[in-house]
Amino acid sequence: MKIIEEALKRGAKALSEHESKLFLAEAGIPVTRETIVTTEEAAVAAAAEIGYPVVLKGSGEELSHKTEMDLIALDMRDEDDVREAFRRLTSKPDVTVKEVLVQQMVKGDRELVVGLTRDEQFGPCVMFGLGGIFTEILEDISFRVAPLTRLDAMEMMDDIRGRKILGAVRGKPPVDREMLADILLALGRIGLEYEAVREIDINPLKVLDGKPVAVDALVVLNGK
């Protein structure tokens, strides 16, 4: 894809969050509605078009740890919130933020993680598990070597200890397992078709009305 080619030409080691989601969306993975802006007025216009509430994030391929860098403003509910957040994100003394991502706020009711890694022995491997803060705490994840079959994808969902989270919970509908399988299959195809992609991390993949959507994503490249 053109996004990968252009990133490699400029020597990037990773795509920005927005670029990562554009790449994943082209591969058929659902992502949040969002846009990149460079001015306060554009941020306000983007928020109005996407619909409140929104999230603002500092954007750039070098800003892969936005939470630790305090570069995220959640649940912005009106124009005043957006203006204040834009000014805060672009005036931090310890980091240069040239552009801001204005993103749909997806609260969701469950958080999952999916991704891709390259094993020296087995090659591209697809990962699935519990997401958000539970990824590191519980380490409840499953792997399969690409290419995946739909049966592989379904088995990955049943492999994790917390698999009941995929069912109907507290009045919420069950996760659309076919849609989730499509995402895992797409990650496997990326691993086989794009040698330049070293790693993909989609965390969280939130579940909204039973449908998974990528809220945060990072694509790491085999750049030199």
Side-chain angles (χ1 to χ4, degrees):
M1 292 182 188
K2 193 175 180 181
I3 292 175
I4 300 294
E5 294 174 4
E6 292 179 348
L8 292 173
K9 284 180 181 177
R10 66 174 185 266
K13 295 181 179 178
L15 301 182
S16 71
E17 178 181 339
H18 184 57
E19 290 174 327
S20 296
K21 288 183 190 167
L22 289 175
F23 174 69
L24 295 172
E26 286 192 41
I29 295 175
V31 302
T32 49
R33 299 194 305 275
E34 59 187 47
T35 190
I36 290 290
V37 300
T38 57
T39 68
E40 185 177 318
E41 293 305 320
V44 171
E49 183 174 351
I50 292 170
Y52 290 99
V54 295
V55 177
L56 268 66
K57 300 177 179 177
S59 176
E61 60 195 37
E62 72 283 7
L63 305 179
S64 58
H65 300 287
K66 291 182 280 294
T67 300
E68 294 82 349
M69 300 170 80
D70 191 26
L71 290 176
I72 300 178
L74 297 170
D75 204 15
M76 301 292 99
R77 293 185 168 274
D78 56 32
E79 179 177 331
D80 289 341
D81 284 350
V82 170
R83 290 186 182 279
E84 182 178 344
F86 184 91
R87 292 170 192 157
R88 179 177 72 78
L89 294 175
T90 55
S91 62
K92 295 182 73 66
D94 54 339
V95 58
T96 300
V97 176
K98 298 178 181 177
E99 59 184 28
V100 170
L101 177 67
V102 182
Q103 174 189 306
Q104 170 195 10
M105 176 83 186
V106 177
K107 289 189 176 180
D109 47 65
R110 282 155 282 187
E111 294 189 351
L112 305 171
V113 59
V114 295
L116 175 79
T117 187
R118 291 189 183 277
D119 182 88
E120 289 186 6
Q121 181 176 358
F122 298 109
C125 298
V126 177
M127 180 265 288
F128 167 77
L130 298 183
I133 61 172
F134 296 114
T135 303
E136 297 178 1
I137 296 174
L138 299 179
E139 297 182 335
D140 192 4
I141 54 178
S142 175
F143 286 92
R144 287 291 187 285
V145 177
L148 271 65
T149 64
R150 186 161 291 271
L151 177 61
D152 290 330
M154 292 297 180
E155 287 180 345
M156 290 177 73
M157 299 176 211
D158 292 328
D159 280 350
I160 63 170
R161 300 189 301 278
R163 53 188 173 276
K164 286 187 177 179
I165 200 173
L166 301 177
V169 178
R170 295 189 173 183
K172 304 294 183 183
V175 177
D176 187 330
R177 291 170 64 101
E178 292 295 335
M179 194 172 172
L180 194 51
D182 288 339
I183 293 172
L184 297 173
L185 292 171
L187 288 169
R189 287 194 297 273
I190 291 173
L192 293 174
E193 295 173 8
Y194 295 92
E195 286 289 336
V197 174
R198 180 161 63 89
E199 181 181 327
I200 297 176
D201 185 34
I202 303 176
N203 190 13
L205 181 79
K206 286 195 175 184
V207 179
L208 179 64
D209 298 327
K211 308 293 185 186
V213 57
V215 171
D216 199 350
L218 175 66
V219 174
V220 180
L221 303 174
N222 282 318
K224 297 179 180 179

